[in-house]
Amino acid sequence: FRGNLSDGSGGALDIIAGSGIILRGNQVEQNSATYYGGGIAFDSAGVLVEANVIAANTATESGGGIYVRQYGYPTLVANTITSNTAKTGGGLYYVANSYSYYPLTLRYNHLRGNRATAGDGGGLYAEYRAGGELIGNVFAHNSATDNGGGVFLTRFGYNGAVTIHSNAIVGNHAAGEGGGIYLWMSSCGIWRHTTVGQNTSGDNAAVTLSLWGSECPPVTWEHNLFYNQTTGIRQDSSIGGVVRYTLWDNVITPTLGANLTREGDITGT
């Protein structure tokens, strides 16, 4: 799927109905959409998107590579999502205009070099997703003009099981806050076995927490590695969290914020 243009959503594909659909082993490249989903737009359940290359697509508004609407919840596994561009959610954009009980499921994807040119979430932007999985993904060298160079999440996991582990957040940049990760309003779950390094931002933090929602307990971080960062995790609101058993390697200020509690630090050499 190369070089297609949509004057609405889904430059190459706009999947609006059906289940049991499998997209596997495709190249979705150099497509564009006037509004949403430069490569693919979804408003459908039960779609498996596996081992595709989604590259150099452009959306004028949101979701340069993939745009997921209110009722969509594709499962993305082992895709390469690279060099896509949109105002918000350069690589992936998950939207909901109210509380959604549909999950966000990303496993073993590689999101690299995507750009949000006038908003948040260079690699991933997601809001109002009840639960799901972020497992084994790489977010590298993505950028945003606002917040969350690698990942921007708001109200994730407020009404469902959340599994987050074994992700790498490396070399991303946000002109605003949270070079690697920006969590806004509320975000549930425990971040485990995450590698966070060499991210840059306007607030000099790899991770920025701007949380005030009450849907779930504060986020917990445990058994993670932070390296080559000015600030590891910065609290930008009244809600902090617990940071446990973390290896800090060349991190000048591991945590910044009165309500962030550290336990069992490990210091690199």
Side-chain angles (χ1 to χ4, degrees):
F1 301 91
R2 179 178 289 122
N4 300 286
L5 170 64
S6 168
D7 60 3
S9 300
L13 296 168
D14 189 4
I15 301 174
I16 60 175
S19 61
I21 298 170
I22 298 174
L23 296 176
R24 180 181 290 131
N26 301 285
Q27 291 181 307
V28 181
E29 300 176 336
Q30 300 176 12
N31 304 285
S32 61
T34 303
Y35 293 104
Y36 310 112
I40 306 173
F42 289 99
D43 195 6
S44 179
V47 180
L48 173 63
V49 183
E50 183 176 26
N52 301 281
V53 175
I54 300 166
N57 302 287
T58 302
T60 303
E61 296 299 329
S62 304
I66 295 176
Y67 178 87
V68 182
R69 298 187 187 94
Q70 169 90 8
Y71 303 109
Y73 52 101
T75 297
L76 274 63
V77 180
N79 299 284
T80 298
I81 301 170
T82 182
S83 302
N84 301 286
T85 304
K87 288 182 180 178
T88 305
L92 297 174
Y93 187 98
Y94 283 71
V95 66
N97 46 18
S98 63
Y99 282 110
S100 168
Y101 291 92
Y102 301 118
L104 163 67
T105 305
L106 302 177
R107 305 187 194 114
Y108 311 111
N109 300 283
H110 193 157
L111 291 91
R112 181 183 182 92
N114 302 288
R115 297 186 301 131
T117 59
D120 303 309
L124 166 67
Y125 179 102
E127 61 181 15
Y128 290 107
R129 289 286 155 169
E133 300 177 353
L134 292 176
I135 298 175
N137 302 286
V138 176
F139 296 87
H141 304 292
N142 304 287
S143 63
T145 56
D146 288 342
N147 304 318
V151 176
F152 182 101
L153 295 176
T154 175
R155 288 189 166 164
F156 173 50
Y158 59 86
N159 193 19
V162 178
T163 303
I164 307 169
H165 67 78
S166 306
N167 299 287
I169 317 289
V170 177
N172 302 285
H173 175 72
E177 301 179 354
I181 302 169
Y182 187 91
L183 304 183
W184 185 51
M185 294 182 71
S186 65
S187 187
C188 310
I190 301 174
W191 289 73
R192 292 189 175 102
H193 305 295
T194 301
T195 298
V196 182
Q198 298 179 325
N199 301 284
T200 58
S201 62
D203 67 346
N204 294 318
V207 177
T208 299
L209 309 179
S210 186
L211 304 173
W212 65 87
S214 59
E215 288 90 355
C216 54
V219 178
T220 298
W221 306 79
E222 60 184 32
H223 302 289
N224 300 299
L225 163 64
F226 284 73
Y227 71 94
N228 294 354
Q229 297 287 168
T230 302
T231 301
I233 302 175
R234 186 178 79 89
Q235 170 200 334
D236 187 30
S237 61
S238 60
I239 297 177
V242 179
V243 184
R244 298 190 182 107
Y245 316 121
T246 303
L247 172 58
W248 308 100
D249 187 0
N250 194 31
V251 178
I252 297 171
T253 305
T255 58
L256 183 62
N259 295 322
L260 281 170
T261 302
R262 294 202 336 246
E263 302 173 357
D265 282 357
I266 305 168
T267 302
T269 57

